[in-house]
Amino acid sequence: MPTTSLTLPPAPAQADRLLALGLHERAGLTAAELRSAAEAAAGTDDALLVLDPALVPPSALVPGVRWQDRPAFVVVDMTDLDDFAPVPGAEPPPGPAYLLCGPDRGDEYLNVTPDEALPRIRAAGRSPLTLAEGLTWLLQCPDVLERNACTMTVGSRLRRPNGSLDARTPALWISNGTGRDGRERRNAPKVGWCWAGNRHTWLGIASASGRVPVT
């Protein structure tokens, strides 16, 4: 069973991490503006400082993600990574940065399909994490990923031209270095996808209690 603590760093430390990666520039923020946003969020328990994914898409976050010093990668058949958009109820608030409150890896949804879990998450008054939020969480708290207890970010989905949903749901887990991943990527954090109707004993479904603007 999962044993890792998922405690987030304080907001100012989170800002320092984003600054070190130069992500504030992608969001159109100066270092002072991002630090000011973090200071406004200081004292807010269990909150993740997230940059607007319209400005800082998932592909810009992946290079900064590490797990046990191994760099993250995207599966080869997910070239449309940045086309996955928030589902209703998971949209970011206005502004270049916001707080994601109460993120949870969703271990209670291990072996539950995304299609089954989403109504339960909403009924509990929570919202599914988007892919950008999940990656931002890994930037700040790599131990969100744990062998046999990783997570899906079903708050991001891709719509086909006819308006229907693509059946894929983004997921974040640890590569075993098999198949197209390559042996050199064993134990690397992996950005991939799963079918919305499939269940996995090692993938939970991440959610949050809410989103709050800070700038």
Side-chain angles (χ1 to χ4, degrees), residues 55-123:
L55 303 172
V56 186
S59 62
L61 299 170
V62 172
V65 173
R66 297 286 188 277
W67 189 79
Q68 297 186 357
D69 294 326
R70 302 283 287 151
F73 70 99
V74 182
V75 295
V76 296
D77 58 353
M78 203 172 180
T79 57
D80 50 4
L81 178 75
D82 291 339
D83 295 331
F84 283 73
V87 300
E91 302 93 344
Y98 66 96
L99 290 181
L100 179 79
C101 303
D104 184 271
R105 190 169 60 187
D107 294 343
E108 68 269 37
Y109 299 112
L110 293 170
N111 208 31
V112 177
T113 74
D115 285 342
E116 293 167 339
L118 189 54
R120 290 165 55 179
I121 289 170
R122 287 173 168 157

Side-chain angles (χ1 to χ4, degrees), residues 1-4 6 67 104-112 129 134 137-138 141-154 170-176 187-192 194 200-207:
M1 292 297 294
T3 58
T4 300
L6 304 182
W67 189 79
D104 184 271
R105 190 169 60 187
D107 294 343
E108 68 269 37
Y109 299 112
L110 293 170
N111 208 31
V112 177
L129 256 65
W137 198 11
L138 291 186
C141 189
D143 286 344
V144 166
L145 294 187
E146 189 175 2
R147 281 287 180 191
N148 301 315
C150 295
T151 196
M152 286 186 268
T153 55
V154 306
L172 305 167
W173 73 96
I174 303 162
S175 175
N176 287 324
N187 293 325
K190 176 176 176 177
V191 183
C194 298
H200 300 274
T201 59
W202 45 276
L203 282 174
I205 298 176
S207 69

Side-chain angles (χ1 to χ4, degrees), residues 161-178:
N162 65 5
S164 64
L165 286 175
D166 184 283
R168 294 171 295 166
T169 57
L172 305 167
W173 73 96
I174 303 162
S175 175
N176 287 324
T178 57

